[in-house]
Amino acid sequence: MILAGSFIYTTKYKIHDVASYTSPDGKYELLFQQVGDPDWPFGHTHARLVLQDEKGTIVKYSFDIAADGANASPDLCQVTWKATQVEAVISDEEQNDNQYILYFNGKTESNQLDTRFGI
């Protein structure tokens, strides 16, 4: 029972930190995390962005990456800090780039772009 529970936790729920980005003023941090393992054998990778400030978590935004069963890597994420938000563009080989906007007030927005790996 413990072995089965441990396997399920590791493959479905365990958080793997992929990358961390700090705003230029040092007030905010954006975490890029993988949730569990990619779907087997060539499925989606489950990921999330977590925006934090010195008080704690502002917002979490979950999404899937079509990466042919590969783990998430820092190379997939491009981050731009703005006055009221942080913008993260997630790129992979199997889908168009996706832009995720996390506002410092807790709101979120997402857009599918017409580019792949910024091209």
Side-chain angles (χ1 to χ4, degrees), residues 83-96:
T84 60
Q85 77 244 18
V86 59
E87 299 176 0
V89 175
I90 304 294
S91 302
D92 64 69
E93 297 174 8
E94 295 185 20
Q95 66 187 19
N96 284 357

Side-chain angles (χ1 to χ4, degrees), residues 74 91 95 99 101 107 119:
S91 302
Q95 66 187 19
Q99 178 187 48
I101 302 169
K107 294 182 180 181
I119 300 171

Side-chain angles (χ1 to χ4, degrees), residues 3-22:
L3 182 60
S6 176
F7 176 77
I8 291 170
Y9 168 76
T10 300
T11 59
K12 295 287 182 192
Y13 304 106
K14 185 175 180 183
I15 303 300
H16 305 275
D17 290 327
V18 177
S20 173
Y21 309 92
T22 303

Side-chain angles (χ1 to χ4, degrees), residues 11-89:
T11 59
K12 295 287 182 192
Y13 304 106
K14 185 175 180 183
I15 303 300
H16 305 275
D17 290 327
V18 177
S20 173
Y21 309 92
T22 303
S23 65
D25 62 6
K27 291 182 181 179
Y28 299 96
E29 181 180 27
L30 181 69
L31 303 174
F32 177 32
Q33 301 175 326
Q34 179 175 313
V35 181
D37 289 336
D39 293 340
W40 191 83
F42 300 108
H44 288 95
T45 302
H46 309 288
R48 71 181 184 185
L49 295 168
V50 180
L51 179 61
Q52 301 176 332
D53 64 8
E54 64 275 352
K55 296 177 187 173
T57 300
I58 297 171
V59 65
K60 294 179 185 179
Y61 191 92
S62 298
F63 56 94
D64 289 333
I65 303 170
D68 214 12
N71 286 313
S73 74
D75 297 337
L76 299 178
C77 188
Q78 298 272 332
V79 173
T80 305
W81 293 94
K82 305 247 174 138
T84 60
Q85 77 244 18
V86 59
E87 299 176 0
V89 175

